[in-house]
Structure formats: C-alpha cells, structure tokens
Amino acid sequence: MTADVNGHMTGHITPIHQGTASSPEKNNEVLPLSDSTPRASAPTADAGRPGYVIGVDYGTLSGRAVVVRVSDGAELGTATLAYPHAVMDSTLAATGEQLPPEWALQVPSDYVDVLRTAVPAAVRDAGIDPQDVIGIATDFTACTMVPTLADGTPLNEVPGYEGRPHAYVKLWKHHAAQGQANRINELAAERGEAWLPRYGGLISSEWEFAKGLQLLEEDPELYGRMDHWVEAADWIVWQLTGEYVRNACTAGYKGIYQDGAYPSDEFLAALNPDFAGFARDKVEHTIGALASRAGSLSEEAAGWTGLLAGIAVAVGNVDAHVTSPAAQATDPGQMVAIMGTSTCHVMNSDKLAEVPGMCGVVDGGIVEGFYGYEAGQSGVGDIFAWFVANQVPGDIRDAATAKGQSVHEYLTDQAQIEPVGAHGLVALDWHSGNRSVLVDHELSGTIVGLTLATKPHEVYRALLESTAFGTRTIVEAFNASGVPVTEFVAAGGLIRNPFLMQVYADVLNMPISVIGSSQGPALGSAIHAAVAAGAYEDIHAAAAAMGHLDRAAYTPDADRAAAYDALYREYTELHDYFGRGTNDVMHRLKALRRSAHSRQEVPV
C-alpha cells in the first residue's frame, strides 16, 4: 500500500480549513489541489453512453455493493460479503487471547475483501459493462478507527504486532475507552472548551480522541509506532486511490474538528503529557468536502474491482449521513433515522444551536451549506437480536419453524395483536449504553414489570417500544432546542418490520416517511459518486433525481398515540432516575464487572 503522505492530492477536492488550536497559522490555510491524475481511459458522465455508479456500504458485520443507474437511481445489482473475521468482542482471532469487557475489534483486510468480491459480483448481478461505471463511493460505520504506518499499512499487518489487540481496528461499538471519555469531558467542562457544546456537552467513548487516548495509555509502544489514526471511512478510500483524504463528516462529528481546529496541544497535554501532539501528529490531514472527488481509482484497486482505473472515487462518508440524499432528505427539518443494529439520527438545519446530548453539529457535515446535526441510539436491532438469541425458549423457536417464519416474525405476529400497555412492561433501550441524549455508555438495559405470567412476545414488544421511546426523547430534545423536526424519515434494515414502523408513528405521534430503498447507505454513496464524477451539479440535484422516498407511509392512530403517551411518561421517569444521577446502580455494576474480570476470578 502506497500513498502520498505529504498532503498533496489530485482530483477535485473542495478543501476545508485545517489546523489545531495550537497552530493558528493553519486555520485559514486553503491547500492548493492539482488535477494531474490521468483519466483518459475512464468514462465520464457526458460520454454519450449509459452511466452507472457503485456505492459500497461497510456495516458492522458485512460490506455490500450496489450498482446504480445515474439517470434515475435504479438499483440494478447488489452483492454482500460477511466479514470473514466478523467482530472480535470476546477473543482475538490471531491468538485466542481473551479480550476485556466492552472491546470490539475488526480486521482491516476484511474491508478490502469486500472490494475484491462484492463489487465485481454486484456488477455481474447488474449485467452491465464495467466500462460504463463512472464512479464509486463508500461509507462506513463510525467511529471506526484504524492505526496505520505512514503508507497506510494497518499495524496488525506489521510483523510482530498481530498479537497486540490495540493494533487492530476499533469498531464503533468499542466502548472500552469510557474512562478516557470521562476525563476528556470533565477537563473540557472545567476549562470551558468552546467545542464541547457542539457535542451536546459530552464526548463519546466511541470517538477518535477517547479511543486514541486509550491506545496511548494501554500500549504506549504501539502508539509511538503509529503514524496515522485513520477513520475506516478514509482508510478504504486510501486503498482505492492511493491518496489519504480525511472526510468532513467524521472529522467534525468524531474528530472534534470545529471552526477550523482540533482541540489544542495544551488541552491534550493536560489529559496526558504524551498526548499533547495527538491531533497534530496522528490525526490532522487535508479534509475533503462531502460529494467531492478524493482521487481516481488506482490500477491496483481496478484489479480488485474489475472497474476501469481513473474513474472518480468520492470522499468517504458515514453510513448514516450518506443516507440523507438517498431518502431525498437534504432540506432542513427532515430527520433521517437509519435503523439497524443501532440507530443514527441525522438532520440538516440552517440554524446553529446547542441540543442536549446531540452527537454533534458540523458545518457541512451532511450537506454543504447547512449545519448537519447527529444524534443516535447505541442499540436497537442489536437489542432485538440479543433477546431472540438468548431469551427465547425452544418451543417458540419450534413454533416459528413450523410456520416457516423467523423468530422475529413469529414474536412480532404475537405481539401486535395485543393493545398498547397490555403487557404491563416498560423497558430502557440501553443494552449498549445511551448515545443520545445522555451520552453514557456505562448505562445498561432494564425491563420493569416482569411477572411469572410474562410471555416472550410481551418482552419483545416492550423492547421494540423502548427504542421508539428513545427516539421520541431525541426528537423532543431537538424541538425544545429550536431545531424543529418537521418530517421523520425511516431508513435501514428495520423498516422491513411494518409493526415496528407503526409503533414509531404512534409513539412519535407523527407520520413516518420511509426510504424507497433497502440499501439506503449504499444508494446514498452511489449518489455521492455521481456528483464526484460530474453527473450532477450538487447533492441536492442528484438526490432529487436518484433518491427514493415514500412519504407518510405510516400515520399515527390517535387512540394508540394517547396510550403510548402514558407509557412514555413511565419511560421518562425511569430514564431520568437511572440516567441523570438519582441512582447510579448501573455505573456501579459496570465497575464491579470490570473489577471481577481484572482479578481473573475462576468460577467455583
């Protein structure tokens, strides 16, 4: 793997100012960009032949490629590769070593395997000539971090480091840096750091600086060997082009990049003297605007994908944020909820405001020209999957099999026939912690109201409802902060459950619009590829032509909405009791768990 690590890039990148607060001379610097990459062999949008683009969506467990027609957004072919190493959250695959609690690692070569297999398979599935593909773009779950050498080689691929857990990718759901996040938050609040309110007053343990500080403090030798701390969204573009370009989305939301600067050396040194140069030495790099061209497909990557070298490769992006144009939701007030293993809520606005617990507000973070807001829930589909995998008795599984249904479908059919509140339960959706509005991954799941008569489908419904209550909490926080949610748009894999969508409409008491694609992030990436390739002037025009949305697909029922108001009041009571300091039992239990693991006690 090779790359120009001096920050000189080719292609049509719209530069964004870069720098740290401790180096003000960089704050107003716009780096010149050349257009020297030969592209004579690459098809263009006006070449007078059919035009296609490819979007590649890197999820938690798999990567999927979709071939999309530029003229109308039709999805013509798709292919998916499950990551060979999946998620390492209990043991390190290379050694079998037991990992501590809250860890979640991945192997970066799995991401390249998606390019080698899923992309050519999707082209074959579409039945198109690969020479008619004019661009490719990717998106990633975030914050997912890759420690690399100067040339982009991941540290786990450096001989001798394959047995070091910190050498691997830290997936977004790696929450083991909570202690470091707490210190960042406490120090930032104490010092009155101007960037802290842009993140709702709290930095997440999932993000770049907390994970980087954990790496320094737990494996300082490896930290010293690391040249770049790279978002996976940018690392995969690096592999496609040979050019390292930071994307504006993750830089702002996950990298604490605000008003042209990262946190200062002085602030970082106060956390740990050896952390002073983290932003300057490990993180800082040229930043590309979303939907701009990061570079051209390299000869090596052309060999992997079967596409022509020289076609446009768009600046990287995050799976949630890239979905907005796919759902024709690029205007202010349209909140898009990308509902999968977790849910990310994104929305544009022409106003800059402080929303409690938001994951960030970034100028141009979703679409150029607007402030992009992000909030989220750390566990949604993951919670439903946990329940089905661990809490459902065999007779339920047998009954589902007999009916030719999945366990999810069977439980949903049972749950939806009962009136609101009939189960006598209320749950908190914190099995993976709380991202918004509390930003506390030490919190954990709770179900109140269980009796000896409680049935599995009743618990399942309470868990479905809890995620809707969590979303309502987020929507109300935005409304109360002067950033009104005028339309709620659902996307992601969970839109396939009509009952769940109706629950959300009833709980929110507002219509739910639904994206007209089952591959929203991949379609969104394809739309960005079309803009990067010059097929459309901007993302708004591309979204109007290529995005798909079923407006008000679900509307609230007045009686159910009123019944859910009563349940939501109970949810809010529990939410504040456990989440706002009245009872810190969840924090104490997490501390006891870590203590027990650190003593390596052997069960009797």
Side-chain angles (χ1 to χ4, degrees), residues 3-24:
D4 178 358
V5 297
N6 297 313
H8 302 296
M9 275 154 290
T10 58
H12 304 293
I13 303 172
T14 303
I16 295 178
H17 303 165
Q18 71 164 341
T20 64
S22 60
S23 55

Side-chain angles (χ1 to χ4, degrees), residues 432-457:
S432 289
N434 180 283
R435 184 178 295 161
S436 298
V437 296
L438 300 172
V439 197
D440 186 349
H441 293 292
E442 294 289 272
L443 298 174
S444 49
T446 300
I447 303 171
V448 174
L450 292 169
T451 74
L452 295 176
T454 301
K455 299 292 190 282
H457 70 270

Side-chain angles (χ1 to χ4, degrees), residues 164-209:
R164 306 272 278 271
H166 280 289
Y168 289 82
V169 173
K170 285 184 173 61
L171 186 60
W172 68 267
K173 63 194 295 185
H174 177 93
H175 293 151
Q178 186 63 50
Q180 286 78 11
N182 292 342
R183 287 161 49 205
I184 291 173
N185 290 326
E186 291 164 5
L187 181 64
E190 177 186 320
R191 291 167 52 100
E193 294 288 337
W195 44 261
L196 190 61
R198 299 284 182 92
Y199 301 97
L202 292 167
I203 297 302
S204 171
S205 65
E206 296 179 2
W207 297 354
E208 292 182 15
F209 280 66

Side-chain angles (χ1 to χ4, degrees), residues 248-271:
C249 184
T250 55
Y253 291 107
K254 315 301 180 184
I256 321 183
Y257 184 80
Q258 293 286 346
D259 300 325
Y262 296 99
S264 67
D265 287 10
E266 180 187 5
F267 172 80
L268 299 177
L271 291 167

Side-chain angles (χ1 to χ4, degrees), residues 55-59 62-65 83 114 137-140 319 519 521-522 525:
V56 185
D57 170 39
Y58 285 92
S62 64
R64 58 203 61 81
Y83 302 140
V114 173
T138 60
D139 65 84
F140 237 100
D319 51 0
Q519 300 287 357
S525 284

Side-chain angles (χ1 to χ4, degrees), residues 186-367:
E186 291 164 5
L187 181 64
E190 177 186 320
R191 291 167 52 100
E193 294 288 337
W195 44 261
L196 190 61
R198 299 284 182 92
Y199 301 97
L202 292 167
I203 297 302
S204 171
S205 65
E206 296 179 2
W207 297 354
E208 292 182 15
F209 280 66
K211 287 174 173 171
L213 184 56
Q214 183 198 11
L215 169 55
L216 165 66
E217 295 180 335
E218 295 183 7
D219 197 336
E221 178 193 347
L222 204 66
Y223 178 88
R225 188 73 172 88
M226 176 180 71
D227 292 302
H228 295 296
W229 187 230
V230 186
E231 281 278 357
D234 301 325
W235 185 82
I236 200 64
V237 171
W238 195 349
Q239 309 316 299
L240 285 166
T241 64
E243 311 285 353
Y244 177 21
V245 183
R246 287 214 74 188
N247 74 85
C249 184
T250 55
Y253 291 107
K254 315 301 180 184
I256 321 183
Y257 184 80
Q258 293 286 346
D259 300 325
Y262 296 99
S264 67
D265 287 10
E266 180 187 5
F267 172 80
L268 299 177
L271 291 167
N272 185 313
D274 294 330
F275 203 53
F278 175 69
R280 172 172 29 85
D281 299 333
K282 311 291 188 181
V283 172
E284 185 177 272
H285 208 77
T286 300
I287 297 174
L290 303 181
S292 64
R293 183 175 185 140
S296 301
L297 193 70
S298 69
E299 292 287 351
E300 181 181 26
W304 297 339
T305 59
L307 305 177
L308 286 181
I311 65 171
V313 180
V315 167
N317 211 326
V318 178
D319 51 0
H321 306 71
V322 81
T323 302
S324 290
Q328 296 183 334
T330 59
D331 292 330
Q334 294 178 289
M335 177 174 279
V336 182
I338 299 85
M339 302 173 61
T341 55
S342 63
T343 292
C344 191
H345 307 77
V346 296
M347 184 173 72
N348 289 305
S349 177
D350 53 7
K351 301 175 183 177
L352 178 62
E354 297 176 11
V355 180
M358 65 183 177
C359 298
V361 54
V362 175
D363 189 1
I366 302 173
V367 172

